[in-house]
Amino acid sequence: NAGVTQTPKFQVLKTGQSMTLQCAQDMNHNSMYWYRQDPGMGLRLIYYSASEGTTDKGEVPNGYNVSRLNKREFSLRLESAAPSQTSVYFCASQPGAGENYGYTFGSGTRLTVV
Amino acid sequence: ILNVEQSPQSLHVQEGDSTNFTCSFPSSNFYALHWYRWETAKSPEALFVMTLNGDEKKKGRISATLNTKEGYSYLYIKGSQPEDSATYLCAFTMYSGGGADGLTFGKGTHLIIQP
C-alpha cells in the first residue's frame, strides 16, 4: 500500500552537479507529474506525463529533463544544478487521462543546491 | 499562465466555530477544480474534485461549492477542530482536448484552529 514513493528524501548538491529524482507509483495510474514548491509560491508544474511513453513541459521546465521509464516510474533529472533549483520537489499521479481524479502525492524531496 | 487566487492567505479560528474560504479561477474553458488539504510535514491529500457548475461536495464536516460561470469555489468547515489545522489548496485546469496537462495551484489558505 505504498502509493507514490519518492527518493531521495533529502539531497545537497554543489552547483553544476547532476542528479536524478526518482518517483514510482504502484496504483496503476496513467498520469504522473513533477511539481516544485517554493516559499510564497503555489506548487508549480515542471513536467508531466499523461501516459506511458509521453512527456510534456509544464510551467517551469527549464533546467530539467524527465523520463517516463514505464507506467510505474517517472524520473526528474537536473543536468547541471543551480541554486535557483533549491526547492521541495513533489511527484504526483492520478488514474485518469484528464484532471478529473484527485492526485496522490509522494512525500517530497528537499533539494538544496549550494 | 493561469491565475488561481485563494483568500484569505491565513485564518485563525476558534475551536467549534465554522469557517469558509475562497478560490478564484478563470471562468472560461473550465474543466476541473480540485481541493487539497496539506498538513505540516505531510503531502497534499485530495479532498474534492469538482467538474460541474453548481457541484456541491461533502466529506464529514468539510464541504465545497463550485460556480464555474463566475469562476469561484468555496470551502466550508463546520465546527472546526484542532485537527483541521492545515493549508488548504485549490487547483484548476482548463479544457485542453481531454488529455491530462496538469493542475495550476493557488498559494493556499493556512488555517489555524485555536483551542
Side-chain angles (χ1 to χ4, degrees), chain B residues 6-51:
Chain B
Q6 291 190 247
S7 62
Q9 198 171 5
S10 66
L11 192 54
H12 291 246
V13 174
Q14 287 295 125
E15 182 177 352
D17 287 351
S18 296
T19 187
N20 64 86
F21 24 95
T22 307
C23 173
S24 300
F25 52 86
S27 57
S28 57
N29 295 324
F30 175 87
Y31 186 76
L33 191 285
H34 293 215
W35 281 100
Y36 292 82
R37 169 192 164 88
W38 194 357
E39 293 181 74
T40 303
K42 295 187 177 180
S43 305
E45 180 184 332
L47 286 172
F48 305 115
V49 177
M50 307 172 81
T51 58

Side-chain angles (χ1 to χ4, degrees), chain A residues 31 33 35 37 40-45 48-50 56 59 90 94 96-108, chain B residues 1 9 31-34 36 38 41-46 48-49 51 89 93 98-108:
Chain A
S31 303
Y33 311 82
Y35 283 86
Q37 170 71 45
M41 311 280 286
L43 288 161
R44 291 185 293 168
L45 182 64
Y48 64 99
S49 171
D56 283 286
E59 180 186 350
F90 286 96
Q94 59 107 347
E99 314 306 335
N100 44 5
Y101 293 89
Y103 287 9
T104 300
F105 283 85
S107 57
Chain B
I1 297 175
Q9 198 171 5
Y31 186 76
L33 191 285
H34 293 215
Y36 292 82
W38 194 357
K42 295 187 177 180
S43 305
E45 180 184 332
F48 305 115
V49 177
T51 58
L89 303 176
T93 189
D101 57 5
L103 292 168
T104 299
F105 282 83
K107 295 179 183 179

Side-chain angles (χ1 to χ4, degrees), chain A residues 81-92:
Chain A
S84 60
Q85 294 178 304
T86 294
S87 188
V88 182
Y89 292 84
F90 286 96
C91 177

Side-chain angles (χ1 to χ4, degrees), chain A:
Chain A
N1 204 23
V4 178
T5 302
Q6 287 184 237
T7 55
K9 293 193 185 303
F10 301 94
Q11 183 71 49
V12 179
L13 288 180
K14 293 182 179 178
T15 298
Q17 285 185 317
S18 62
M19 79 162 293
T20 300
L21 281 64
Q22 307 286 353
C23 175
Q25 51 89 10
D26 60 1
M27 299 169 286
N28 201 36
H29 284 179
N30 285 313
S31 303
M32 298 185 73
Y33 311 82
W34 277 104
Y35 283 86
R36 59 179 287 175
Q37 170 71 45
D38 300 294
M41 311 280 286
L43 288 161
R44 291 185 293 168
L45 182 64
I46 305 171
Y47 270 93
Y48 64 99
S49 171
S51 60
E52 184 180 356
T54 69
T55 61
D56 283 286
K57 295 177 180 179
E59 180 186 350
V60 289
N62 290 345
Y64 305 97
N65 285 301
V66 289
S67 295
R68 183 76 182 266
L69 303 168
N70 46 55
K71 194 170 186 180
R72 289 187 65 245
E73 299 171 287
F74 187 39
S75 61
L76 178 73
R77 183 159 177 84
L78 287 70
E79 290 291 350
S80 178
S84 60
Q85 294 178 304
T86 294
S87 188
V88 182
Y89 292 84
F90 286 96
C91 177
S93 70
Q94 59 107 347
E99 314 306 335
N100 44 5
Y101 293 89
Y103 287 9
T104 300
F105 283 85
S107 57
T109 296
R110 185 173 292 275
L111 175 67
T112 303
V113 183
V114 297

